[in-house]
Amino acid sequence: MVEISADAAIVGGGLGGVAAALALLRAGRTVVLTEEHDWLGGQLTSQAVPPDEHSWVERFGVTASYRALREGIRQYYRHHYPLTERARAQREFNPGAGHVSRLCHEPRVAVAVIEAMLAPYRGSGRLRVLQPYRPVGAEVDGDRVTSVRLAHRDDDAEQVVVRAPYVLDATETGELLPLTGTEYVTGFESQCETGEPSAPAEAQPLNMQAVSVCFAVDHVDGDHTIDRPASYDFWRAYEPPFWGDKLLSWRCPNPRTLAIMERSFTPNPDDDPQLVEADQRVNPGDANLWTFRRIAARRNFTPGAYASDITLVNWPMIDYLEGPVIDVPDADRHLAAARELSLSVMYWLQTEAPRHDGGTGYPGLRLRGDVTGSADGLAQAAYIRESRRIRALTTVTEQDLSVAIRGDKGAVSYHDSVGVGMYRIDLHPSTGGDNYIDVACSPFEIPLGALVPQRMTNLLPAGKNIGTTHITNGAYRLHPVEWNVGEAAGALAAFCLDQATTPHAVRADDRLLADFQQRLVRDGVELRWPDVTGY
């Protein structure tokens, strides 16, 4: 069996994994980075989810390297796409003019920028990327992980062992936690454990947020109706008890009020992309689903370059509620069913969806698998909102963030902050039958203690698997926070190697902690918020 050694093994090439790799590489370390899908970038690329970001992202509240990723995406469009001069001159250019974010873009552009950020380190030989590989085993000596065993996604017999003094779990579901025996939690914690007002009386470990399989569509002349999915009749009749209608409809609960609302859908509205105000503090932007997560606004490009806008379908009706995909024997069945649900939504849109002009169905809708990089037209991977989460030295709870509880005091400030983030506590309907939980949130800090397992000494979480609860994961799971978590985890591993110390010691020793935080600040990581109010 092939064996590889490096200073750090990062398992999972999503946003957290990429950020962790860059932090280690900037510090002069060698890295093995693994990813099971064809694209690096996770939720931004293979899962096809445009960035969900806070209102101040253009000014502060993200790391310098995340800002470089965002600006790299804009520059890629300016260098390679046929933009109008008006669009090219816009400093805060939003390619899709989507309402969900100030930077809605095609996934492939983010892949190109991420690859460019990593390219010098690949060339120097200090970064080795194993792709597509997934973790299947690990060796552990007491409280230390000594190696991780990986198998090729398409051939289990092709396996590699990676040995490293630090192992970072940047997988979407915390895959290394059970493989290494690291203590973790899933689903809802109980109210008696966390004290959270939105928590249930008893723990519900298999009650998790829905996963979603996203897809991209445009709307052009002709009939592009896909084959009728095998499970279409099931999904066509499916009606969650709290939905207010069938799942396949324009009606659903408002996440913030739970009142039943009706969304609109108007393909290719002739709107001015530069007049779109993408600010979720003012407006969640989901009233018209076409412009909500639009990733290419045709009026940003020279006439004729795009026959249609392209929009990303990550809408309430594709949330899969029939079962969790973590720590269950039939996870693969649920993931396959989630893909069937998304294909059924597409077929419904093409054939039965009530039209804005009074008709039925939009046969001109066309799946854009070329945009998502997949053969079946859907995203390469399911969007996983909730991971296994380590039992950490610090667990962030709802009462640490909630505007209703904290008021004008803002979120809890941590002496060991390693970054910042902001998003509403945004929980989608769950596999246990819960409706949305959507709570106004204060701009928050990321405590180092949430990145340090209670027992394991050289395994670090680098994504959505940090010490949050089911509830606070709803705020900590978004793109810039995942990137900051990964960057902090990578920087921590590099610092510990340089200082011949451990993550536990860094958090416990004020001098070491101050030195580490100073290194983070030097690298462009913000540790505190200015005086801003949550929403």
Side-chain angles (χ1 to χ4, degrees):
M1 187 176 296
V2 175
E3 291 197 7
I4 304 172
S5 296
D7 292 326
I10 302 173
V11 181
L15 289 176
V18 170
L22 287 168
L24 279 150
L25 294 162
R26 285 196 304 266
R29 292 295 171 175
T30 58
V31 173
V32 172
L33 174 65
T34 80
E35 169 55 35
E36 68 173 296
H37 298 291
D38 293 341
W39 288 348
L40 297 175
Q43 58 178 320
L44 190 64
T45 60
S46 60
Q47 296 172 33
V49 181
D52 277 300
E53 299 170 331
H54 58 71
S55 296
W56 307 281
V57 66
E58 301 293 349
R59 292 183 288 149
F60 49 79
V62 297
T63 75
S65 62
Y66 184 79
R67 194 171 302 284
L69 170 66
R70 296 178 87 254
E71 289 309 307
I73 289 168
R74 285 178 170 142
Q75 284 300 106
Y76 192 93
Y77 275 95
R78 293 186 182 109
H79 289 163
H80 300 289
Y81 277 68
L83 304 180
T84 64
E85 289 307 312
R86 184 167 175 249
R88 191 180 305 279
Q90 191 177 19
R91 189 179 73 82
E92 296 178 3
F93 173 53
N94 189 347
H99 285 78
V100 73
S101 169
R102 288 181 164 91
L103 183 62
C104 292
H105 55 85
E106 296 173 43
R108 197 182 298 276
V109 176
V111 176
V113 176
I114 286 170
E115 291 288 356
M117 295 173 82
L118 295 173
Y121 304 109
R122 290 209 205 207
S124 70
R126 289 199 290 114
L127 170 65
R128 181 164 180 178
V129 179
L130 299 180
Q131 196 175 12
Y133 279 83
R134 57 185 178 83
V136 294
E139 292 180 357
V140 178
D141 183 6
D143 297 335
R144 290 183 58 82
V145 182
T146 58
S147 71
V148 177
R149 182 163 50 88
L150 303 130
H152 194 282
R153 179 192 64 196
D154 305 323
D155 182 1
D156 276 344
E158 186 178 328
Q159 298 197 355
V160 177
V161 170
V162 181
R163 300 188 182 277
Y166 276 89
V167 175
L168 279 66
D169 184 347
T171 62
E172 298 298 325
T173 56
E175 288 297 307
L176 290 188
L177 304 184
L179 292 177
T180 59
T182 301
E183 291 79 10
Y184 67 91
V185 63
T186 64
F188 260 120
E189 295 88 346
S190 69
Q191 192 172 83
C192 65
E193 179 183 356
T194 67
E196 295 173 304
S198 299
E202 297 184 3
Q204 300 171 8
L206 293 181
N207 188 1
M208 305 178 201
Q209 282 198 74
V211 304
S212 299
V213 178
C214 304
F215 55 95
V217 297
D218 61 8
H219 189 268
V220 294
D221 292 339
D223 186 342
H224 304 279
T225 304
I226 64 172
D227 293 338
R228 183 185 178 97
S231 60
Y232 181 68
D233 288 342
F234 173 82
W235 291 116
R236 184 174 180 270
Y238 192 84
E239 185 171 348
F242 53 82
W243 207 254
D245 206 332
K246 292 184 170 61
L247 185 68
L248 272 56
S249 71
W250 299 129
R251 289 166 57 80
C252 66
N254 181 306
R256 299 186 184 184
T257 68
L258 302 186
I260 304 304
M261 63 178 291
E262 183 154 346
R263 290 178 167 89
S264 65
F265 180 70
T266 308
N268 289 322
D270 195 28
D271 60 326
D272 183 344
Q274 294 198 20
L275 296 181
V276 169
E277 183 181 15
D279 186 347
Q280 294 193 34
R281 175 179 45 172
V282 177
N283 180 1
D286 57 351
N288 184 347
L289 292 174
W290 182 269
T291 55
F292 180 36
R293 295 182 182 271
R294 184 172 52 184
I295 57 175
R298 68 195 187 286
R299 286 187 59 183
N300 272 329
F301 305 91
T302 56
Y306 277 66
S308 167
D309 295 346
I310 303 172
T311 196
L312 201 287
V313 177
N314 180 12
W315 306 340
M317 63 187 70
I318 69 167
D319 284 1
Y320 178 80
L321 306 175
E322 283 292 283
V325 298
I326 295 174
D327 288 352
V328 291
D330 55 351
D332 288 344
R333 179 179 69 82
H334 286 306
L335 287 169
R339 299 187 80 83
E340 275 281 302
L341 167 58
S342 291
L343 289 171
S344 295
V345 168
M346 180 62 183
Y347 187 77
W348 176 81
L349 289 169
Q350 292 174 316
T351 61
E352 295 192 80
R355 294 172 58 100
H356 60 285
D357 60 8
T360 302
Y362 295 87
L365 286 176
R366 178 174 60 170
L367 268 179
R368 292 297 302 271
D370 56 325
V371 169
T372 55
S374 64
D376 64 2
L378 307 178
Q380 296 173 24
Y383 176 30
I384 307 288
R385 294 180 173 88
E386 183 175 342
S387 173
R388 300 174 178 90
R389 303 178 299 280
I390 63 166
R391 292 283 188 185
L393 297 184
T394 301
T395 300
V396 180
T397 62
E398 180 181 3
Q399 53 269 36
D400 297 335
L401 310 180
S402 168
V403 168
I405 297 172
R406 298 290 302 172
D408 59 5
K409 296 190 295 294
V412 169
S413 184
Y414 303 99
H415 78 285
D416 62 344
S417 172
V418 292
V420 297
M422 171 60 202
Y423 206 74
R424 289 177 67 90
I425 295 176
D426 170 22
L427 298 177
H428 282 232
S430 71
T431 58
D434 292 288
N435 205 337
Y436 290 95
I437 297 175
D438 195 292
V439 177
C441 185
S442 300
F444 54 81
E445 298 170 5
I446 304 168
L448 176 61
L451 275 67
V452 182
Q454 291 178 354
R455 180 178 61 84
M456 301 297 285
T457 60
N458 73 330
L459 176 76
L460 294 171
K464 296 186 286 287
N465 50 354
I466 65 170
T468 58
T469 64
H470 170 84
I471 292 169
T472 56
N473 163 74
Y476 275 72
R477 65 181 169 84
L478 285 308
H479 302 65
V481 185
E482 182 188 346
W483 183 279
N484 194 149
V485 167
E487 185 168 355
L492 179 61
F495 182 82
C496 289
L497 288 167
D498 291 347
Q499 301 294 322
T501 188
T502 67
H504 289 82
V506 172
R507 183 171 182 272
D509 186 302
D510 288 344
R511 181 188 60 81
L512 282 174
L513 176 61
D515 287 349
F516 175 55
Q517 289 173 316
Q518 185 176 12
R519 178 181 289 195
L520 289 174
V521 171
R522 180 199 69 194
D523 289 342
V525 177
E526 299 176 19
L527 304 185
R528 311 290 176 197
W529 279 96
D531 186 16
V532 290
T533 302
Y535 55 87

